[in-house]
Amino acid sequence: MYCKFLKLTSGENLIVSTEDECMDLTDKKYIEVSEPVEIHSMKMPYAGGVIESYMMQPWLKMSAKEVLRIPARNVVIATNVLERAETQYKQFIIEYENSAMATEEDIEQALSGDDDNGEIEISEEDENDSRSSSGAHTLH
C-alpha cells in the first residue's frame, strides 16, 4: 500500500492510500484510493513573519464506499508524501475512525440534551473569586 499526495484539477489536495504506484497515469483510466483526506493550507502571522499550517479533513465524508475510483485525467500530479506527513495522515485516520464509532445511544443522548446542556454554573463564591481588578469575570 502506498501513501500518495494527489493534486486534482479541481484544486483539491488529497492524501490517499492506494495500491497504485502512480508512476505513469497517461495509460490509466482510474486510480483506486482508500481513506482519502483533503489537505487545506492555512497561513497565519507569527512573530513578525508568517507560518503555514495544514488542516486535514475526510474527503467525501458521506461516501459508503471504502475504495473510490478517481479518474486519472483529473489528477494533475501524484507523488509520495513526506514521512512525517504520512505519519500524521495515519494518526488522523485512526483518530477519525475512533471518533466515528459513536453508538446509536450516544447520538440519541446528544440530540435529546439529557446530558450536560453546555451551560456553566457559577456560585456566588466562584463569582467573587473570579473577578479581576477591573471587575471583569474570568472563567477557569
Side-chain angles (χ1 to χ4, degrees):
M1 189 66 81
Y2 299 98
C3 185
K4 295 289 185 174
F5 174 85
L6 303 179
K7 175 76 170 182
L8 303 183
T9 55
S10 64
E12 295 168 301
N13 297 310
L14 306 178
I15 296 181
V16 300
S17 295
T18 182
E19 296 290 334
D20 195 328
E21 271 190 272
C22 300
M23 295 302 281
D24 186 11
L25 300 178
T26 55
D27 296 333
K28 296 189 190 254
K29 192 169 184 171
Y30 296 98
I31 300 171
E32 291 187 345
V33 302
S34 61
E35 301 175 327
V37 172
E38 189 171 4
I39 307 300
H40 295 279
S41 171
M42 300 181 306
K43 293 181 182 182
M44 301 173 290
Y46 179 76
V50 176
I51 60 171
E52 188 168 21
S53 184
Y54 298 90
M55 183 178 73
M56 295 181 172
Q57 71 179 43
W59 188 62
L60 302 178
K61 297 178 209 178
M62 300 299 177
S63 176
K65 289 186 176 184
E66 289 191 26
V67 176
L68 301 166
R69 294 172 67 182
I70 298 175
R73 70 178 181 275
N74 291 351
V75 178
V76 175
I77 191 164
T79 186
N80 293 326
V81 297
L82 295 171
E83 187 176 325
R84 69 176 185 261
E86 183 175 354
T87 301
Q88 291 174 341
Y89 164 75
K90 289 178 178 177
Q91 184 64 38
F92 175 82
I93 296 297
I94 290 167
E95 289 176 10
Y96 184 76
E97 286 175 355
N98 288 341
S99 70
M101 298 222 179
T103 65
E104 205 171 297
E105 289 175 11
D106 294 335
I107 294 168
E108 285 177 15
Q109 185 176 9
L111 293 174
S112 70
D114 288 343
D115 58 350
D116 183 13
N117 62 5
E119 292 181 11
I120 299 172
E121 196 171 304
I122 302 173
S123 67
E124 276 188 43
E125 184 177 301
D126 290 340
E127 189 174 313
N128 291 334
D129 290 343
S130 66
R131 289 187 186 269
S132 67
S133 59
S134 68
H137 291 274
T138 306
L139 297 177
H140 298 279

